[in-house]
Amino acid sequence: MAIKQFKTESKRLLDLMANSIYTNTDIFLRELVSNASDALDKRYFLSLTDTGITADDLKIRVECDKKEKTITVTDNGIGMNREELESNLGTIARSGSFDFKEKLDEKEEIDIIGQFGVGFYSAFMVADRIEVLTRKVGEEKAYLWTGTMEGYEIKQAKKEDYGTVIILHIKNNTREKKYDQYLKTDNLQMLVKKYSDFIRYPIMMDLETYDENGNKEIKETTVNSMIPIWKKPKRELKEENYDEFYSLSYYDFEKPLKTIHYKVEGSTSYSALLYIPSVRPFNYFSNEYKLGLKLYSKGVFIKDEAKEIVSDYFRFIRGVVDSDDLSLNISREILQEDRQMAVMKKSIDKKIGTTLEKMLENERETYEKFFEQFGQQLKFGTYDNYGQHKNELIDLLIFKSSNEDRYVTLKEYVSRMKEGQKDIYYASGDSVETIKELPQLEKVLDKGYEVLYFTDSVDEFMANIINAYDGKPFKSLQKGDLDLDSEEEKEEIEKKSKDNEKLLQTIKDDLKDKVTDVRLSSRLKSSPVCLVSDDSLSFGMEKTLNAISQGSVKASRILEINPDHKLFKALAKASKNGEKISDYSTLLYEQALMIAGLPVDDPLEYTRLVSDLMLKAMK
Ligand code: ADP
Ligand code: MG
């Protein structure tokens, strides 16, 4: 039979892996043992529903032969048939992470390899030839897969029992790398202990011991401790144990920001080991992100990505939940509706919520770090489903504000509102810096009011849904009527508007297709104009909605003019003298657009008008 080539992308990854001397080659054993353990899980799972399948004495064996230069990993798990061999070992499984690597430059590429589960292929880091002898549970035929860096072939073979034997033919030493280190039992034992201690099946090795008479003997021994870390008592565990389990499970070498290990006993009993990561995974907001929460029942793996047991707004949580109450021999669909699952979800959500609350209260800096990574998720959660979960989440939100640029909670904001302040003020923009430049800000700040800076596109939508906090409504500085003024001030503006009625009408006529209204402003101090929208849609929301749906929603545009500004006074004078002011109206409007962060309507006309003015000035 001809040797088959690996698929191109698999081959490139293979080359990358085998030739990278920076990569931690030790992990090959972890990958093979994990695969063996998965295979045992699968056999066990099948045996629960299929009476014809046994699952006794499930175990993994690791051995090495110094003379033959081989390492052998054996399991009596599910095994593979020909098709499975072909599809599982002929192509690389994780093309998603491969695509990602492809985008990085070469140096980064090399360091990043170890961060992914590189799987079966990682064995090619230490072996130049690999044999896989396997027989699938319940089937008669066995197969031998033989692969090198170039390709593989599959032949029919003989095998007595079900399961898989993987034989690695270890590479010759090179100047950089002593591959024969892996041919020492002691070293292999150490690797098993380091990487695979929590594998829940015995990993057997032939180890040297002494019998009662003090004579050396070789004895098959279980090397791993098997008790999963989450089942161990807390007092036996150190921070580094938790961190190690985390980094091995998620290939994240940043320490977790927070570890939550607890046990619940009662009508629903479970133990959980949960982690809040320090850094948001690169694909967190894409469809490729997978929830890192695993569900076990009595120590047996049930499923990855256990969405059923945590709310979507906490989907950054990673870890393990092990329940004593789930019955295993039910199908996975039924599992989803299980009442126990719902109870567990509620309890897990609650635990995460209170952990975050405490963190916010007692470890503010850590919380801010957390929020910078995952705060957007909480905001989406608050907004989602018409605010169904806003009460659970609202006190976990923090915002940058005009108060020293620090993050504040809504509770803090409200507690220090000034006397007479009715609303929670916010202003939105792409960044804190652009918001600070907004002319609308000046007067509110002068009054001593604090302003929340909304920089995430979800913020305004969320504020609309929350509507009010502690009875205090949210109010945008860029929308509607601010109602900042005292009665006297209001009267004054009204009087000025009346006095300038004709002028305002002229400007309005000049801009009739562009704005819905032109009025005198009470929110401006040093800027001549600003643009605001009415109470419904803001400019930021307009931008977001159009980006999502490629539609053309448009927030209403209201031009506000500062009556105390020199420019307005000059304009009034010019108009009174019968000068035509339509060009000035346009210029004011275009300026207001720019300040609001919106594109100028007609850049050519704008430059023409400015050029004309320059010429006039230089005359
Ligand atoms: P992953 O484990 O992430 O799926 P791997 O490259 O490690 O990726 O393995 C690819 C696939 O090969 C596995 O999903 C599994 O189906 C199969 N496989 C590997 N090792 C074994 C084994 N010892 N027994 C049965 N199937 C195996
Ligand atoms: Mg694997």
Side-chain angles (χ1 to χ4, degrees):
M1 198 184 110
I3 288 187
K4 288 196 185 173
Q5 297 283 313
F6 287 106
K7 296 248 166 79
T8 332
E9 60 166 12
S10 314
K11 192 145 173 27
R12 291 189 53 196
L13 187 56
L14 271 176
D15 287 340
L16 203 65
M17 209 133 55
N19 299 323
S20 156
I21 50 165
Y22 300 101
T23 307
N24 177 10
T25 49
D26 289 355
I27 57 140
F28 79 94
L29 193 60
R30 172 193 80 195
E31 295 298 327
L32 296 184
V33 168
S34 299
N35 285 351
S37 166
D38 291 347
L40 297 174
D41 274 344
K42 287 175 193 161
R43 179 166 181 175
Y44 178 77
F45 213 89
L46 269 187
S47 75
L48 296 174
T49 46
D50 189 334
T51 45
I53 291 172
T54 58
D56 307 323
D57 199 21
L58 298 179
K59 62 180 174 206
I60 301 164
R61 225 184 110 75
V62 175
E63 60 207 302
C64 63
D65 187 324
K66 211 170 170 152
K67 260 221 233 79
E68 295 292 320
K69 290 178 49 190
T70 57
I71 295 174
T72 306
V73 179
T74 310
D75 68 69
N76 51 355
I78 188 87
M80 284 175 275
N81 59 27
R82 186 190 273 272
E83 291 73 40
E84 286 163 341
L85 267 176
E86 183 84 44
S87 66
N88 295 339
L89 304 187
T91 47
I92 191 94
R94 294 168 191 270
S95 56
S97 42
F98 182 74
D99 286 346
F100 172 67
K101 284 188 209 99
E102 184 112 283
K103 293 193 189 96
L104 302 172
D105 69 39
E106 200 148 296
K107 212 166 121 266
E108 277 175 306
E109 199 166 44
I110 286 161
D111 290 338
I112 217 154
I113 290 169
Q115 301 192 20
F116 294 95
V118 280
F120 175 78
Y121 287 86
S122 65
F124 281 111
M125 291 192 295
V126 299
D128 42 26
R129 190 159 59 90
I130 302 176
E131 289 170 288
V132 179
L133 175 63
T134 182
R135 181 174 163 204
K136 181 150 184 179
V137 164
E139 297 190 10
E140 277 308 312
K141 286 182 181 156
Y143 298 93
L144 177 66
W145 180 100
T146 309
T148 66
M149 290 281 291
E150 299 310 314
Y152 62 94
E153 61 180 341
I154 301 173
K155 281 193 271 192
Q156 208 163 303
K158 284 232 141 46
K159 192 172 186 307
E160 287 279 302
D161 50 353
Y162 301 134
T164 304
V165 182
I166 297 185
I167 303 168
L168 309 185
H169 295 268
I170 299 301
K171 291 179 185 176
N172 290 324
N173 284 347
T174 63
R175 197 153 2 134
E176 290 89 21
K177 188 89 198 170
K178 305 277 169 266
Y179 293 102
D180 62 2
Q181 62 176 303
Y182 297 120
L183 295 169
K184 291 197 187 107
T185 306
D186 290 357
N187 284 345
L188 287 182
Q189 184 194 356
M190 197 192 70
L191 289 183
V192 170
K193 200 73 190 149
K194 179 168 175 196
Y195 289 109
S196 311
D197 200 36
F198 305 130
I199 293 289
R200 286 164 296 102
Y201 300 98
I203 302 171
M204 312 302 296
M205 288 185 75
D206 291 335
L207 299 183
E208 249 180 30
T209 51
Y210 294 92
D211 66 13
E212 301 107 60
N213 307 324
N215 297 322
K216 260 193 199 173
E217 62 167 6
I218 304 275
K219 216 172 138 192
E220 191 177 52
T221 314
T222 306
V223 197
N224 56 329
S225 57
M226 285 191 289
I227 301 172
I229 179 169
W230 59 90
K231 289 261 180 181
K232 287 186 184 169
K234 269 170 113 157
R235 66 186 138 75
E236 277 180 24
L237 293 162
K238 294 198 202 88
E239 190 182 318
E240 64 203 56
N241 302 121
Y242 288 124
D243 291 353
E244 189 185 63
F245 178 71
Y246 174 79
S247 73
L248 294 178
S249 308
Y250 297 100
Y251 310 112
D252 181 355
F253 296 104
E254 292 282 343
K255 280 183 178 198
L257 195 68
K258 195 99 213 160
T259 302
I260 316 166
H261 186 194
Y262 69 105
K263 205 171 165 160
V264 171
E265 268 163 298
S267 62
T268 297
S269 308
Y270 69 91
S271 25
L273 173 55
L274 308 177
Y275 295 96
I276 300 174
S278 306
V279 182
R280 189 173 63 211
F282 71 92
N283 61 359
Y284 186 71
F285 285 111
S286 81
N287 290 335
E288 263 168 46
Y289 173 75
K290 293 202 169 78
L291 174 67
L293 191 59
K294 295 184 171 81
L295 179 63
Y296 286 78
S297 175
K298 300 198 184 83
V300 176
F301 174 78
I302 305 285
K303 67 178 302 195
D304 274 319
E305 300 177 57
K307 295 194 180 70
E308 302 83 351
I309 50 170
V310 70
S311 276
D312 198 49
Y313 49 80
F314 290 145
R315 66 206 287 264
F316 48 80
I317 281 289
R318 288 170 161 168
V320 175
V321 172
D322 195 342
S323 162
D324 292 340
D325 299 323
L326 300 173
S327 39
L328 261 180
N329 50 352
I330 46 175
S331 80
R332 290 179 188 209
E333 282 75 21
I334 298 171
L335 206 57
Q336 283 182 10
E337 287 156 25
D338 198 292
R339 201 187 60 83
Q340 301 287 1
M341 301 270 268
V343 176
M344 244 159 53
K345 175 177 177 176
K346 212 162 180 186
S347 155
I348 291 166
D349 278 350
K350 182 117 197 263
K351 183 72 184 185
I352 300 169
T354 49
T355 304
L356 289 174
E357 260 164 46
K358 270 196 213 131
M359 203 202 277
L360 175 59
E361 209 173 293
N362 307 323
E363 302 167 80
R364 185 69 172 230
E365 248 174 67
T366 312
Y367 189 81
E368 290 179 2
K369 258 199 222 150
F370 155 76
F371 200 82
E372 278 172 358
Q373 298 296 321
F374 298 107
Q376 262 195 53
Q377 181 71 65
L378 300 186
K379 292 174 183 175
F380 280 120
T382 312
Y383 161 78
D384 238 16
N385 292 310
Y386 308 101
Q388 198 186 341
H389 295 290
K390 66 179 180 187
N391 293 337
E392 287 100 295
L393 297 174
I394 196 153
D395 282 315
L396 293 176
L397 303 180
I398 51 177
F399 300 92
K400 281 270 171 72
S401 91
S402 54
N403 191 32
E404 305 166 67
D405 281 358
R406 288 269 326 277
Y407 280 109
V408 293
T409 62
L410 293 173
K411 201 182 212 156
E412 286 160 357
Y413 182 101
V414 166
S415 76
R416 59 183 184 225
M417 272 168 75
K418 286 203 72 167
E419 231 185 279
Q421 183 182 351
K422 290 175 297 236
D423 300 317
I424 300 174
Y425 293 109
Y426 68 85
S428 56
D430 290 339
S431 68
V432 169
E433 284 64 40
T434 49
I435 295 174
K436 279 186 183 165
E437 299 284 310
L438 286 171
Q440 288 95 323
L441 219 60
E442 219 175 351
K443 205 154 170 194
V444 185
L445 294 184
D446 266 6
K447 288 206 183 264
Y449 297 158
E450 183 173 3
V451 177
L452 299 178
Y453 294 158
F454 279 5
T455 50
D456 279 333
S457 52
V458 62
D459 289 343
E460 285 190 87
F461 292 92
M462 186 193 63
N464 274 9
I465 292 273
I466 306 176
N467 193 33
Y469 179 84
D470 197 15
K472 314 282 189 292
F474 282 90
K475 189 110 196 144
S476 165
L477 297 190
Q478 295 138 297
K479 274 175 23 178
D481 184 4
L482 269 195
D483 201 12
L484 276 178
D485 296 332
S486 62
E487 288 307 314
E488 277 163 40
E489 287 168 317
K490 273 185 200 160
E491 267 168 38
E492 207 185 312
I493 282 273
E494 249 166 63
K495 186 172 171 302
K496 281 182 190 161
S497 302
K498 209 157 218 157
D499 294 347
N500 293 290
E501 210 175 341
K502 235 182 96 197
L503 173 62
L504 292 172
Q505 189 57 48
T506 310
I507 302 174
K508 204 171 159 180
D509 291 342
D510 289 342
L511 300 173
K512 66 173 177 306
D513 303 325
K514 296 173 175 148
V515 300
T516 48
D517 200 10
V518 176
R519 64 188 182 210
L520 293 185
S521 185
S522 59
R523 68 186 103 206
L524 292 176
K525 196 178 160 207
S526 56
S527 170
V529 282
C530 72
L531 205 63
V532 299
S533 59
D534 66 20
D535 273 318
S536 55
L537 203 63
S538 74
F539 301 131
M541 293 162 96
E542 169 188 305
K543 215 163 154 185
T544 308
L545 289 174
N546 286 339
I548 298 169
S549 63
Q550 278 148 11
S552 52
V553 296
K554 205 163 178 188
S556 63
R557 283 149 168 70
I558 299 165
L559 182 67
E560 286 199 356
I561 307 182
N562 182 352
D564 301 323
H565 198 278
K566 283 193 295 227
L567 207 55
F568 180 72
K569 291 177 176 154
L571 204 61
K573 207 167 143 196
S575 171
K576 217 170 244 158
N577 294 340
E579 265 185 67
K580 202 167 147 281
I581 59 158
S582 66
D583 283 352
Y584 301 138
S585 304
T586 307
L587 278 171
L588 282 177
Y589 170 65
E590 301 279 18
Q591 279 183 24
L593 277 175
M594 283 191 272
I595 298 170
L598 294 165
V600 172
D601 267 358
D602 186 346
L604 276 182
E605 190 191 18
Y606 179 76
T607 25
R608 185 184 59 77
L609 290 174
V610 172
S611 307
D612 285 354
L613 275 183
M614 287 166 76
L615 285 172
K616 237 195 246 173
M618 287 184 282
K619 241 189 256 171

